[in-house]
Amino acid sequence: MPSEDSLSHNLPTQSVSELSGALKRTVEESFARVRVRGEVSQPKTAGSGHCYLRLKDDQAVLDAIIWRGTLTRLGVRPEEGLEVIATGRLTTYPGRSSYQLIIEGLELAGEGALLKLLEERRRRLAAEGLFDEARKRPLPFLPRVIGVVTSPTGAVIRDILHRLADRFPVSVLVWPVAVQGEAAAAQVAQAIAGFNALPPDGPVPRPDLLIVARGGGSLEDLMAFNDEGVVRAAAASTIPLIAAIGHETDVTLIDHAADRRAPTPTGAAEMAVPVRQDLRAHLATLGQRLETATARGLDERTRRIEGLARGLPNLAHLLDTHVQRLDDRAERLRVAILHRLTRETARVDQARARLRHPADLIARKHDTLAHLAQVLAQAGPRQIRDAARALERLSTRLRPDPLVRRLAEGQRHVSQAGERLETALNTVHTRKTERLEALGARLESVSYRAVLKRGYAVVRGPAQGILDSAGAVQPGMALSLEWHDGRVEAVATPPSAPPAPRARGRRPASPRQGDLLDGL
């Protein structure tokens, strides 16, 4: 029977890199998508723009990295002691035999306390009777004018106008407001009160129906519509009001105070006006067939592209380890260069200290010659001959060749040491520069600047933060627009009311609105 030692020799031998790579693949496949809750500790942003930090609880610590491109898109910035929920994937760093979390999303972990606060506010307002069904008013069957309170630049107003045009074209007044942020709640409440304050026979027609709308978002994004002032303004409105906030699963306090709640902004438009089904049945059928064909064609092409994309490697994942190794090598290179310069400087100083200046040697020998000349002046013939022989020996020793040779050897040694140092530094610098340029080219291939060259632009606010939605832009705000070839400073201006929708191929509307049955 073979011994245990002989069996162990049958195991395949792996290199350290092979074993580290197998372990890296195992961890990344098993933990490709994880959510971790913990406290941020020791956040540090490297010179490359990547953020290194730790997530910890009372029993364990987990290293984590946020790449520069992801860090600029996060709504929550990692800070010391902040409790967060991080979404990402696990990977390893073979250079240090450690595992770490690559963070792709970050959110606060305090939603439970926020929900409790909203529930207490809902109960208090309900006790005041603001949510009673008895005070809710019926919606008008055919409103002549509809007032919409929403962002003028978002997709919500376009969806509402599109749905109204499809079902029953009516006049629409848009009161532009911010639907997210600190000023959103006050603007929404003022817009509802402003529509109610319009006189019935004034120059601006008073709406027969109000729609307060906003697209979907997180609980924090929808907090403006949970504000007590907004709820009270909706309850006090004398104009029937439809609340269309978020998606069907999103419920805010204004939904309870409104006369009707719509699951989506498009659903609010459907509640507001009836359908001209008799006259538009054929067009609706053709439109549905076109939409179905387009959706089917897009779905087929999307599935084909997704199938082809699955065979391509993720460039960002391929560069993760190399980017981190580049940061590590850059730091080691800086320390090595400083150490090498210090050591070579010390050697040059030592060689210079051992050299004696030729002027010192000549001065000493000159004193000796002066003394011999004085003795010669006082000596006899024999002493003169002895002095001549001594002078000849001294002249031989005073020949400049040995001194010059020693000085030249010292200078040559210093020059050779300097050349070797310069050659070594140039070699290291060239190698690191080539590697950095190669990695830089790979990083540039996935850079957002390649997108800018196709005609897009990045919009930044006063604090140079990227504005990723139109709702974040306030009138009068200083903006910085970045193209691929430079930046331009601009100032946001209040948007103008959109023109009334016109059907394709129709003539301009006459002063009196005609009936669709005219001419039939």
Side-chain angles (χ1 to χ4, degrees), residues 146-151 154-168 170 172 174 211-214 242 244 264-270 272-273 501:
I146 297 177
V148 180
V149 179
T150 188
S151 171
V156 172
I157 186 61
R158 294 196 298 270
D159 293 342
I160 292 176
L161 294 176
H162 178 71
R163 181 57 68 187
L164 290 176
D166 284 347
R167 294 173 64 87
F168 200 109
V170 295
V172 177
V174 179
I211 297 177
V212 179
R214 189 222 134 88
I242 300 176
T264 61
T266 303
E270 295 175 354
V273 294

Side-chain angles (χ1 to χ4, degrees), residues 110-225:
E111 185 173 334
L114 191 59
L115 291 174
K116 181 179 179 182
L117 175 64
L118 293 180
E119 180 61 18
E120 293 177 354
R121 183 179 298 173
R122 186 192 67 80
R123 292 179 181 177
R124 178 167 53 83
L125 296 177
E128 297 181 15
L130 299 182
F131 303 156
D132 291 346
E133 291 294 330
R135 54 161 296 279
K136 297 183 183 296
R137 295 168 297 276
L139 303 182
F141 174 73
L142 187 58
R144 295 174 302 172
V145 179
I146 297 177
V148 180
V149 179
T150 188
S151 171
T153 58
V156 172
I157 186 61
R158 294 196 298 270
D159 293 342
I160 292 176
L161 294 176
H162 178 71
R163 181 57 68 187
L164 290 176
D166 284 347
R167 294 173 64 87
F168 200 109
V170 295
S171 298
V172 177
L173 292 178
V174 179
W175 195 299
V177 296
V179 294
Q180 182 176 337
E182 298 179 356
Q187 293 183 16
V188 172
Q190 291 173 1
I192 297 174
F195 273 131
N196 281 271
L198 291 175
D201 300 327
V204 178
R206 189 173 189 267
D208 302 316
L209 179 67
L210 296 183
I211 297 177
V212 179
R214 189 222 134 88
S218 63
L219 179 61
E220 291 80 3
D221 296 338
L222 304 179
M223 281 303 296
F225 301 93

Side-chain angles (χ1 to χ4, degrees), residues 353-381:
R354 289 195 300 267
L355 295 176
R356 297 183 64 181
H357 199 280
D360 297 337
L361 297 176
I362 293 175
R364 292 179 57 188
K365 299 305 180 181
H366 182 269
D367 293 341
T368 303
L369 284 175
H371 176 69
L372 291 177
Q374 184 179 3
V375 172
L376 183 62
Q378 300 175 358

Side-chain angles (χ1 to χ4, degrees), residues 139-338:
L139 303 182
F141 174 73
L142 187 58
R144 295 174 302 172
V145 179
I146 297 177
V148 180
V149 179
T150 188
S151 171
T153 58
V156 172
I157 186 61
R158 294 196 298 270
D159 293 342
I160 292 176
L161 294 176
H162 178 71
R163 181 57 68 187
L164 290 176
D166 284 347
R167 294 173 64 87
F168 200 109
V170 295
S171 298
V172 177
L173 292 178
V174 179
W175 195 299
V177 296
V179 294
Q180 182 176 337
E182 298 179 356
Q187 293 183 16
V188 172
Q190 291 173 1
I192 297 174
F195 273 131
N196 281 271
L198 291 175
D201 300 327
V204 178
R206 189 173 189 267
D208 302 316
L209 179 67
L210 296 183
I211 297 177
V212 179
R214 189 222 134 88
S218 63
L219 179 61
E220 291 80 3
D221 296 338
L222 304 179
M223 281 303 296
F225 301 93
N226 291 313
D227 185 81
E228 184 174 346
V230 173
V231 176
R232 293 188 181 276
S237 174
T238 59
I239 304 175
L241 187 145
I242 300 176
I245 308 303
H247 301 298
E248 187 170 359
T249 56
D250 297 325
V251 178
T252 58
L253 296 183
I254 194 176
D255 295 331
H256 300 290
D259 298 297
R260 291 286 295 275
R261 174 186 179 269
T264 61
T266 303
E270 295 175 354
M271 292 180 182
V273 294
V275 181
R276 288 184 175 179
Q277 192 149 6
D278 314 349
L279 305 176
R280 305 188 59 173
H282 184 60
L283 292 177
T285 301
L286 294 179
Q288 184 63 35
R289 291 175 58 186
L290 177 61
E291 291 177 1
T292 302
T294 302
R296 183 169 58 252
L298 290 176
D299 289 342
E300 292 176 357
R301 286 163 177 77
T302 300
R303 287 194 295 269
R304 182 178 179 184
I305 292 175
E306 290 176 349
L308 295 174
R310 281 194 292 269
L312 297 175
N314 192 318
L315 293 179
H317 294 175
L318 293 177
L319 293 177
D320 287 350
T321 302
H322 298 289
V323 170
Q324 191 171 358
R325 183 179 289 114
L326 179 62
D327 291 340
D328 192 12
R329 295 298 188 274
E331 181 65 21
R332 292 172 57 185
L333 175 62
R334 184 183 65 84
V335 175
I337 291 176
L338 293 177

Side-chain angles (χ1 to χ4, degrees), residues 54-74:
R54 291 184 173 184
L55 295 177
K56 67 178 182 178
D57 54 17
D58 56 346
Q59 296 182 353
V61 177
L62 174 63
D63 290 339
I65 299 177
I66 306 176
W67 301 122
R68 179 179 59 186
T70 304
L71 185 62
T72 58
R73 298 192 303 268
L74 291 181

Side-chain angles (χ1 to χ4, degrees), residues 14-25 92 94-95 97 325:
Q14 302 181 62
S15 67
V16 175
S17 299
E18 292 174 344
L19 183 58
S20 299
L23 181 60
K24 179 180 179 67
R25 290 190 296 272
T92 65
S97 299
R325 183 179 289 114

